[in-house]
Amino acid sequence: MKLEEQLRERSENKCELCGSQENLSIYEVPPQTQNTAEECVMTCGKCLAQIEKKEVLDSKHWQCLTSSMWSEVPGVQVVSWRMLNRLRQESWAIDNLDMMYLDDDTLTWAKATGDHENDSAVEFHKDSNNNVLENGDTVVIIKTLDVKGSSISAKLGTVVKNIKLVEDNKEQIEGRVEGQLIVILTKYVRKQS
C-alpha cells in the first residue's frame, strides 16, 4: 500500500490535526529517517501553511491540538508538541503541554529541529504598505535610491520585476535595475498589483 493511501485510510480523509477535509496533503515531519507513515501527518492547507511559517499562527485554529495531541501516531504527537510550544504564550497551550506525554525517542525527535524554541511570530518580507512580498513579485520603487558601488540610481517609479527575497533579512529584496542586480530595502518599494 502506498504511503498516501495508508495516511488517507489512517486519517479517514481528514487533517490529523484539525479534522478538516479541505486541501489535504502529506506533511513529512522533519527530520525524516525512514519516510514511513509513522513519520508523516495528513494535514490541511491551513495547518500546513502555519506549520511551515508561511502564514501567521491562528491561536483559535490550533485549539484543535487539545484532542489531536492524544493521537497514537508519533508524527502527530511531534507536530502537536511543536505547535503547542510555539503557542506557549496561550494559557490553554501551556495546560496541554503540562498534560502531554511523549516517550524519550519521540521527545528527542520533537526537539531535533529546534522549532519548539521559536515563538509564534512569523516574519514576512513586507513592502512600504505592509503587503507581503514573495519571490517573483513585481514592485515599484517609491523613492529615488543611489546604488552603492555603482554609478546608477534607482529612480522613483522604477518597476522591478521578478524580485528575489533575501532569506536571512526580512528588510531586503534583490532585483534588477538597468540590468544590474541590486539589493533594495523593502521600505522603499510597493507591491504592484
Side-chain angles (χ1 to χ4, degrees):
M1 187 184 295
K2 291 188 345 193
L3 181 63
E4 184 172 359
E5 291 172 7
Q6 286 179 310
L7 289 173
R8 285 193 178 275
E9 185 177 309
R10 179 181 81 197
S11 69
E12 298 174 353
N13 282 321
K14 294 178 187 169
C15 175
E16 293 183 276
L17 299 169
C18 74
S20 171
Q21 296 178 333
E22 304 287 317
N23 196 13
L24 296 177
S25 62
I26 297 172
Y27 174 63
E28 297 174 356
V29 183
Q32 287 280 301
T33 55
Q34 299 155 346
N35 197 24
T36 64
E38 298 294 303
E39 293 182 343
C40 297
V41 178
M42 186 61 75
T43 62
C44 67
K46 183 171 180 114
C47 285
L48 185 61
Q50 292 182 32
I51 289 167
E52 294 181 337
K53 297 184 179 181
K54 294 180 180 173
E55 195 176 285
V56 177
L57 274 186
D58 176 359
S59 172
K60 288 181 181 164
H61 174 79
W62 288 105
Q63 290 187 7
C64 60
L65 295 174
T66 302
S67 58
S68 58
M69 70 182 212
W70 300 110
S71 171
E72 293 181 14
V73 178
V76 176
Q77 293 173 356
V78 167
V79 173
S80 297
W81 187 85
R82 288 177 182 169
M83 296 309 293
L84 285 169
N85 271 283
R86 283 176 50 195
L87 290 159
R88 64 184 169 270
Q89 77 279 5
E90 303 283 339
S91 60
W92 64 266
I94 292 172
D95 292 344
N96 284 332
L97 276 170
D98 287 344
M99 290 187 287
M100 191 171 184
Y101 171 78
L102 298 179
D103 64 50
D104 291 343
D105 291 341
T106 307
L107 184 59
T108 300
W109 177 23
K111 291 180 177 180
T113 62
D115 187 45
H116 66 286
E117 295 169 356
N118 300 327
D119 61 13
S120 61
V122 178
E123 294 184 11
F124 296 103
H125 287 76
K126 293 187 177 182
D127 72 359
S128 60
N129 295 329
N130 223 20
N131 295 314
V132 175
L133 297 171
E134 296 179 12
N135 283 317
D137 280 348
T138 298
V139 296
V140 177
I141 296 177
I142 62 168
K143 177 183 176 184
T144 299
L145 305 170
D146 292 326
V147 180
K148 291 182 181 176
S150 173
S151 60
I152 69 167
S153 68
K155 304 259 188 268
L156 169 81
T158 300
V159 175
V160 182
K161 296 180 179 180
N162 200 21
I163 64 166
K164 183 173 183 273
L165 306 179
V166 175
E167 288 299 321
D168 57 350
N169 190 334
K170 303 299 179 208
E171 296 177 3
Q172 296 179 345
I173 59 171
E174 293 179 342
R176 292 205 175 272
V177 174
E178 296 182 22
Q180 186 173 350
L181 185 65
I182 63 169
V183 174
I184 307 167
L185 296 179
T186 56
K187 66 183 178 182
Y188 297 129
V189 299
R190 74 175 159 75
K191 187 174 184 173
Q192 193 173 48
S193 43

